[in-house]
PDB file of all heavy atoms in Angstrom:
ATOM      1  N   PRO A 555      -8.740   8.355  -9.993  1.00 92.00           N
ATOM      2  CA  PRO A 555      -7.805   8.950 -10.929  1.00 92.00           C
ATOM      3  C   PRO A 555      -8.314   9.332 -12.318  1.00 92.00           C
ATOM      4  O   PRO A 555      -9.216   8.548 -12.852  1.00 92.00           O
ATOM      5  CB  PRO A 555      -6.669   7.889 -11.051  1.00 92.00           C
ATOM      6  CG  PRO A 555      -7.391   6.592 -10.645  1.00 92.00           C
ATOM      7  CD  PRO A 555      -8.418   6.970  -9.663  1.00 92.00           C
ATOM      8  N   VAL A 556      -7.826  10.292 -12.860  1.00 92.00           N
ATOM      9  CA  VAL A 556      -8.248  10.794 -14.223  1.00 92.00           C
ATOM     10  C   VAL A 556      -7.614   9.994 -15.337  1.00 92.00           C
ATOM     11  O   VAL A 556      -8.002  10.262 -16.423  1.00 92.00           O
ATOM     12  CB  VAL A 556      -8.002  12.321 -14.378  1.00 92.00           C
ATOM     13  CG1 VAL A 556      -8.725  13.188 -13.282  1.00 92.00           C
ATOM     14  CG2 VAL A 556      -6.554  12.688 -14.294  1.00 92.00           C
ATOM     15  N   GLU A 557      -6.650   9.215 -15.014  1.00 93.00           N
ATOM     16  CA  GLU A 557      -5.879   8.444 -16.039  1.00 93.00           C
ATOM     17  C   GLU A 557      -5.491   7.169 -15.458  1.00 93.00           C
ATOM     18  O   GLU A 557      -5.141   7.031 -14.299  1.00 93.00           O
ATOM     19  CB  GLU A 557      -4.693   9.186 -16.602  1.00 93.00           C
ATOM     20  CG  GLU A 557      -3.619   9.466 -15.667  1.00 93.00           C
ATOM     21  CD  GLU A 557      -2.302  10.197 -16.203  1.00 93.00           C
ATOM     22  OE1 GLU A 557      -2.539  10.755 -17.325  1.00 93.00           O
ATOM     23  OE2 GLU A 557      -1.326  10.136 -15.614  1.00 93.00           O
ATOM     24  N   ILE A 558      -5.613   6.147 -16.296  1.00 96.00           N
ATOM     25  CA  ILE A 558      -5.175   4.748 -15.899  1.00 96.00           C
ATOM     26  C   ILE A 558      -4.345   4.284 -17.051  1.00 96.00           C
ATOM     27  O   ILE A 558      -4.802   4.323 -18.273  1.00 96.00           O
ATOM     28  CB  ILE A 558      -6.404   3.805 -15.714  1.00 96.00           C
ATOM     29  CG1 ILE A 558      -7.128   4.247 -14.420  1.00 96.00           C
ATOM     30  CG2 ILE A 558      -5.830   2.355 -15.477  1.00 96.00           C
ATOM     31  CD1 ILE A 558      -6.427   4.105 -13.129  1.00 96.00           C
ATOM     32  N   PRO A 559      -3.053   3.738 -16.991  1.00 97.00           N
ATOM     33  CA  PRO A 559      -2.386   3.686 -15.664  1.00 97.00           C
ATOM     34  C   PRO A 559      -2.012   5.102 -15.108  1.00 97.00           C
ATOM     35  O   PRO A 559      -1.813   5.958 -15.885  1.00 97.00           O
ATOM     36  CB  PRO A 559      -1.159   2.834 -16.050  1.00 97.00           C
ATOM     37  CG  PRO A 559      -0.848   3.096 -17.447  1.00 97.00           C
ATOM     38  CD  PRO A 559      -2.285   3.313 -18.092  1.00 97.00           C
ATOM     39  N   ILE A 560      -1.871   5.195 -13.915  1.00 97.00           N
ATOM     40  CA  ILE A 560      -1.513   6.451 -13.190  1.00 97.00           C
ATOM     41  C   ILE A 560      -0.004   6.752 -13.368  1.00 97.00           C
ATOM     42  O   ILE A 560       0.835   5.920 -12.919  1.00 97.00           O
ATOM     43  CB  ILE A 560      -2.013   6.377 -11.679  1.00 97.00           C
ATOM     44  CG1 ILE A 560      -3.456   6.018 -11.610  1.00 97.00           C
ATOM     45  CG2 ILE A 560      -1.647   7.729 -11.042  1.00 97.00           C
ATOM     46  CD1 ILE A 560      -3.840   5.620 -10.193  1.00 97.00           C
ATOM     47  N   THR A 561       0.256   7.973 -13.758  1.00 98.00           N
ATOM     48  CA  THR A 561       1.659   8.562 -13.723  1.00 98.00           C
ATOM     49  C   THR A 561       1.673   9.512 -12.607  1.00 98.00           C
ATOM     50  O   THR A 561       0.673   9.938 -12.044  1.00 98.00           O
ATOM     51  CB  THR A 561       1.985   9.181 -14.990  1.00 98.00           C
ATOM     52  OG1 THR A 561       1.297  10.414 -15.234  1.00 98.00           O
ATOM     53  CG2 THR A 561       1.801   8.232 -16.201  1.00 98.00           C
ATOM     54  N   GLU A 562       2.858   9.955 -12.212  1.00 98.00           N
ATOM     55  CA  GLU A 562       3.083  10.964 -11.231  1.00 98.00           C
ATOM     56  C   GLU A 562       2.610  12.309 -11.695  1.00 98.00           C
ATOM     57  O   GLU A 562       2.464  13.257 -10.813  1.00 98.00           O
ATOM     58  CB  GLU A 562       4.540  11.111 -10.842  1.00 98.00           C
ATOM     59  CG  GLU A 562       5.104   9.796 -10.035  1.00 98.00           C
ATOM     60  CD  GLU A 562       5.529   8.707 -10.978  1.00 98.00           C
ATOM     61  OE1 GLU A 562       5.284   8.790 -12.170  1.00 98.00           O
ATOM     62  OE2 GLU A 562       6.044   7.701 -10.409  1.00 98.00           O
ATOM     63  N   ASN A 563       2.429  12.419 -12.995  1.00 96.00           N
ATOM     64  CA  ASN A 563       1.898  13.722 -13.590  1.00 96.00           C
ATOM     65  C   ASN A 563       0.328  13.750 -13.365  1.00 96.00           C
ATOM     66  O   ASN A 563      -0.312  14.777 -13.607  1.00 96.00           O
ATOM     67  CB  ASN A 563       2.241  13.977 -15.003  1.00 96.00           C
ATOM     68  CG  ASN A 563       3.703  14.144 -15.145  1.00 96.00           C
ATOM     69  OD1 ASN A 563       4.317  14.828 -14.361  1.00 96.00           O
ATOM     70  ND2 ASN A 563       4.210  13.673 -16.277  1.00 96.00           N
ATOM     71  N   CYS A 564      -0.370  12.701 -13.000  1.00 96.00           N
ATOM     72  CA  CYS A 564      -1.664  12.602 -12.818  1.00 96.00           C
ATOM     73  C   CYS A 564      -2.064  13.514 -11.556  1.00 96.00           C
ATOM     74  O   CYS A 564      -1.383  13.484 -10.514  1.00 96.00           O
ATOM     75  CB  CYS A 564      -2.224  11.244 -12.514  1.00 96.00           C
ATOM     76  SG  CYS A 564      -3.839  11.141 -12.180  1.00 96.00           S
ATOM     77  N   PRO A 565      -2.979  14.484 -11.740  1.00 95.00           N
ATOM     78  CA  PRO A 565      -3.216  15.393 -10.647  1.00 95.00           C
ATOM     79  C   PRO A 565      -3.784  14.716  -9.441  1.00 95.00           C
ATOM     80  O   PRO A 565      -4.580  13.673  -9.554  1.00 95.00           O
ATOM     81  CB  PRO A 565      -4.338  16.364 -11.192  1.00 95.00           C
ATOM     82  CG  PRO A 565      -4.872  15.664 -12.310  1.00 95.00           C
ATOM     83  CD  PRO A 565      -3.874  14.785 -12.915  1.00 95.00           C
ATOM     84  N   LYS A 566      -3.430  15.141  -8.339  1.00 94.00           N
ATOM     85  CA  LYS A 566      -4.023  14.558  -7.073  1.00 94.00           C
ATOM     86  C   LYS A 566      -5.450  15.046  -7.013  1.00 94.00           C
ATOM     87  O   LYS A 566      -5.804  16.120  -7.353  1.00 94.00           O
ATOM     88  CB  LYS A 566      -3.364  15.206  -5.809  1.00 94.00           C
ATOM     89  CG  LYS A 566      -1.816  14.541  -5.579  1.00 94.00           C
ATOM     90  CD  LYS A 566      -1.070  15.302  -4.676  1.00 94.00           C
ATOM     91  CE  LYS A 566      -1.540  15.248  -3.248  1.00 94.00           C
ATOM     92  NZ  LYS A 566      -0.708  15.942  -2.247  1.00 94.00           N
ATOM     93  N   GLY A 567      -6.261  14.097  -6.617  1.00 89.00           N
ATOM     94  CA  GLY A 567      -7.727  14.220  -6.841  1.00 89.00           C
ATOM     95  C   GLY A 567      -8.494  14.521  -5.470  1.00 89.00           C
ATOM     96  O   GLY A 567      -7.812  14.712  -4.430  1.00 89.00           O
ATOM     97  N   GLN A 568      -9.719  14.427  -5.590  1.00 92.00           N
ATOM     98  CA  GLN A 568     -10.605  14.407  -4.335  1.00 92.00           C
ATOM     99  C   GLN A 568     -10.565  13.119  -3.733  1.00 92.00           C
ATOM    100  O   GLN A 568     -10.982  12.134  -4.209  1.00 92.00           O
ATOM    101  CB  GLN A 568     -11.998  14.776  -4.674  1.00 92.00           C
ATOM    102  CG  GLN A 568     -12.205  16.213  -5.138  1.00 92.00           C
ATOM    103  CD  GLN A 568     -12.020  17.146  -4.052  1.00 92.00           C
ATOM    104  OE1 GLN A 568     -12.591  16.998  -2.864  1.00 92.00           O
ATOM    105  NE2 GLN A 568     -11.248  18.271  -4.202  1.00 92.00           N
ATOM    106  N   CYS A 569      -9.721  12.955  -2.643  1.00 91.00           N
ATOM    107  CA  CYS A 569      -9.560  11.646  -1.953  1.00 91.00           C
ATOM    108  C   CYS A 569     -11.016  11.137  -1.440  1.00 91.00           C
ATOM    109  O   CYS A 569     -11.799  11.964  -1.167  1.00 91.00           O
ATOM    110  CB  CYS A 569      -8.672  11.805  -0.804  1.00 91.00           C
ATOM    111  SG  CYS A 569      -6.929  12.228  -1.288  1.00 91.00           S
ATOM    112  N   THR A 570     -11.033   9.805  -1.576  1.00 85.00           N
ATOM    113  CA  THR A 570     -12.383   9.213  -1.262  1.00 85.00           C
ATOM    114  C   THR A 570     -12.543   8.748   0.168  1.00 85.00           C
ATOM    115  O   THR A 570     -13.472   8.049   0.525  1.00 85.00           O
ATOM    116  CB  THR A 570     -12.552   7.974  -2.212  1.00 85.00           C
ATOM    117  OG1 THR A 570     -11.567   7.039  -2.022  1.00 85.00           O
ATOM    118  CG2 THR A 570     -12.612   8.549  -3.650  1.00 85.00           C
ATOM    119  N   ASN A 571     -11.482   8.962   0.935  1.00 88.00           N
ATOM    120  CA  ASN A 571     -11.564   8.472   2.333  1.00 88.00           C
ATOM    121  C   ASN A 571     -10.536   9.281   3.196  1.00 88.00           C
ATOM    122  O   ASN A 571      -9.535   9.905   2.719  1.00 88.00           O
ATOM    123  CB  ASN A 571     -11.220   7.036   2.520  1.00 88.00           C
ATOM    124  CG  ASN A 571      -9.943   6.697   1.771  1.00 88.00           C
ATOM    125  OD1 ASN A 571      -8.816   6.880   2.342  1.00 88.00           O
ATOM    126  ND2 ASN A 571     -10.100   5.974   0.638  1.00 88.00           N
ATOM    127  N   PRO A 572     -10.715   9.412   4.556  1.00 94.00           N
ATOM    128  CA  PRO A 572      -9.808  10.123   5.401  1.00 94.00           C
ATOM    129  C   PRO A 572      -8.345   9.685   5.336  1.00 94.00           C
ATOM    130  O   PRO A 572      -7.413  10.450   5.474  1.00 94.00           O
ATOM    131  CB  PRO A 572     -10.474   9.967   6.783  1.00 94.00           C
ATOM    132  CG  PRO A 572     -11.851   9.711   6.638  1.00 94.00           C
ATOM    133  CD  PRO A 572     -11.950   8.832   5.221  1.00 94.00           C
ATOM    134  N   TYR A 573      -8.071   8.372   5.224  1.00 93.00           N
ATOM    135  CA  TYR A 573      -6.721   7.868   5.104  1.00 93.00           C
ATOM    136  C   TYR A 573      -6.045   8.490   3.913  1.00 93.00           C
ATOM    137  O   TYR A 573      -4.914   9.026   4.121  1.00 93.00           O
ATOM    138  CB  TYR A 573      -6.776   6.433   4.935  1.00 93.00           C
ATOM    139  CG  TYR A 573      -5.437   5.743   4.577  1.00 93.00           C
ATOM    140  CD1 TYR A 573      -4.565   5.342   5.577  1.00 93.00           C
ATOM    141  CD2 TYR A 573      -5.187   5.517   3.307  1.00 93.00           C
ATOM    142  CE1 TYR A 573      -3.329   4.837   5.241  1.00 93.00           C
ATOM    143  CE2 TYR A 573      -3.923   4.926   2.877  1.00 93.00           C
ATOM    144  CZ  TYR A 573      -2.999   4.615   3.859  1.00 93.00           C
ATOM    145  OH  TYR A 573      -1.726   3.986   3.626  1.00 93.00           O
ATOM    146  N   GLY A 574      -6.655   8.657   2.881  1.00 93.00           N
ATOM    147  CA  GLY A 574      -6.154   9.278   1.617  1.00 93.00           C
ATOM    148  C   GLY A 574      -5.901  10.758   1.900  1.00 93.00           C
ATOM    149  O   GLY A 574      -4.923  11.239   1.401  1.00 93.00           O
ATOM    150  N   TRP A 575      -6.828  11.438   2.540  1.00 96.00           N
ATOM    151  CA  TRP A 575      -6.693  12.873   2.879  1.00 96.00           C
ATOM    152  C   TRP A 575      -5.455  13.084   3.685  1.00 96.00           C
ATOM    153  O   TRP A 575      -4.693  14.026   3.455  1.00 96.00           O
ATOM    154  CB  TRP A 575      -7.895  13.479   3.463  1.00 96.00           C
ATOM    155  CG  TRP A 575      -8.869  13.748   2.488  1.00 96.00           C
ATOM    156  CD1 TRP A 575     -10.194  13.326   2.360  1.00 96.00           C
ATOM    157  CD2 TRP A 575      -8.861  14.727   1.352  1.00 96.00           C
ATOM    158  NE1 TRP A 575     -10.919  13.871   1.347  1.00 96.00           N
ATOM    159  CE2 TRP A 575     -10.084  14.697   0.689  1.00 96.00           C
ATOM    160  CE3 TRP A 575      -7.774  15.485   0.836  1.00 96.00           C
ATOM    161  CZ2 TRP A 575     -10.363  15.582  -0.427  1.00 96.00           C
ATOM    162  CZ3 TRP A 575      -8.053  16.370  -0.202  1.00 96.00           C
ATOM    163  CH2 TRP A 575      -9.223  16.357  -0.880  1.00 96.00           C
ATOM    164  N   THR A 576      -5.138  12.235   4.647  1.00 97.00           N
ATOM    165  CA  THR A 576      -4.022  12.374   5.617  1.00 97.00           C
ATOM    166  C   THR A 576      -2.721  12.326   4.709  1.00 97.00           C
ATOM    167  O   THR A 576      -1.807  13.043   4.870  1.00 97.00           O
ATOM    168  CB  THR A 576      -3.930  11.453   6.678  1.00 97.00           C
ATOM    169  OG1 THR A 576      -3.788  10.046   6.158  1.00 97.00           O
ATOM    170  CG2 THR A 576      -5.207  11.510   7.531  1.00 97.00           C
ATOM    171  N   LYS A 577      -2.694  11.373   3.721  1.00 97.00           N
ATOM    172  CA  LYS A 577      -1.452  11.225   2.935  1.00 97.00           C
ATOM    173  C   LYS A 577      -1.309  12.391   2.007  1.00 97.00           C
ATOM    174  O   LYS A 577      -0.224  12.923   1.812  1.00 97.00           O
ATOM    175  CB  LYS A 577      -1.563   9.896   2.084  1.00 97.00           C
ATOM    176  CG  LYS A 577      -1.579   8.638   2.951  1.00 97.00           C
ATOM    177  CD  LYS A 577      -0.359   8.376   3.680  1.00 97.00           C
ATOM    178  CE  LYS A 577      -0.398   7.152   4.390  1.00 97.00           C
ATOM    179  NZ  LYS A 577       0.861   6.907   5.209  1.00 97.00           N
ATOM    180  N   SER A 578      -2.451  12.874   1.475  1.00 97.00           N
ATOM    181  CA  SER A 578      -2.301  14.007   0.585  1.00 97.00           C
ATOM    182  C   SER A 578      -1.838  15.359   1.373  1.00 97.00           C
ATOM    183  O   SER A 578      -1.024  16.034   0.912  1.00 97.00           O
ATOM    184  CB  SER A 578      -3.695  14.254  -0.049  1.00 97.00           C
ATOM    185  OG  SER A 578      -3.591  15.282  -1.008  1.00 97.00           O
ATOM    186  N   MET A 579      -2.435  15.479   2.494  1.00 98.00           N
ATOM    187  CA  MET A 579      -2.056  16.682   3.313  1.00 98.00           C
ATOM    188  C   MET A 579      -0.616  16.703   3.730  1.00 98.00           C
ATOM    189  O   MET A 579       0.084  17.593   3.699  1.00 98.00           O
ATOM    190  CB  MET A 579      -2.927  16.760   4.524  1.00 98.00           C
ATOM    191  CG  MET A 579      -4.365  17.021   4.261  1.00 98.00           C
ATOM    192  SD  MET A 579      -5.439  16.877   5.753  1.00 98.00           S
ATOM    193  CE  MET A 579      -7.163  17.125   5.062  1.00 98.00           C
ATOM    194  N   LEU A 580      -0.179  15.510   4.128  1.00 98.00           N
ATOM    195  CA  LEU A 580       1.264  15.335   4.599  1.00 98.00           C
ATOM    196  C   LEU A 580       2.226  15.460   3.466  1.00 98.00           C
ATOM    197  O   LEU A 580       3.292  15.919   3.705  1.00 98.00           O
ATOM    198  CB  LEU A 580       1.370  14.053   5.386  1.00 98.00           C
ATOM    199  CG  LEU A 580       0.769  13.993   6.774  1.00 98.00           C
ATOM    200  CD1 LEU A 580       0.678  12.643   7.429  1.00 98.00           C
ATOM    201  CD2 LEU A 580       1.474  15.029   7.735  1.00 98.00           C
ATOM    202  N   GLU A 581       1.944  14.995   2.227  1.00 98.00           N
ATOM    203  CA  GLU A 581       2.788  15.290   1.126  1.00 98.00           C
ATOM    204  C   GLU A 581       3.000  16.794   1.036  1.00 98.00           C
ATOM    205  O   GLU A 581       4.079  17.248   0.750  1.00 98.00           O
ATOM    206  CB  GLU A 581       2.176  14.793  -0.163  1.00 98.00           C
ATOM    207  CG  GLU A 581       2.229  13.238  -0.413  1.00 98.00           C
ATOM    208  CD  GLU A 581       1.973  12.847  -1.818  1.00 98.00           C
ATOM    209  OE1 GLU A 581       1.597  13.660  -2.604  1.00 98.00           O
ATOM    210  OE2 GLU A 581       2.070  11.647  -2.141  1.00 98.00           O
ATOM    211  N   GLN A 582       1.849  17.584   1.053  1.00 98.00           N
ATOM    212  CA  GLN A 582       1.976  19.061   0.880  1.00 98.00           C
ATOM    213  C   GLN A 582       2.943  19.571   2.034  1.00 98.00           C
ATOM    214  O   GLN A 582       3.682  20.494   1.715  1.00 98.00           O
ATOM    215  CB  GLN A 582       0.590  19.610   0.953  1.00 98.00           C
ATOM    216  CG  GLN A 582       0.559  21.121   0.526  1.00 98.00           C
ATOM    217  CD  GLN A 582       1.108  21.311  -0.897  1.00 98.00           C
ATOM    218  OE1 GLN A 582       0.591  20.666  -1.819  1.00 98.00           O
ATOM    219  NE2 GLN A 582       2.137  22.233  -1.072  1.00 98.00           N
TER     220      GLN A 582
END
Side-chain angles (χ1 to χ4, degrees):
V556 299
E557 63 179 18
I558 296 289
I560 302 167
T561 70
E562 291 82 355
N563 292 325
C564 178
K566 288 166 63 172
Q568 289 291 312
C569 296
T570 59
N571 53 75
Y573 171 84
W575 279 120
T576 67
K577 296 297 186 180
S578 183
M579 293 172 185
L580 287 167
E581 281 196 359
Q582 191 62 52

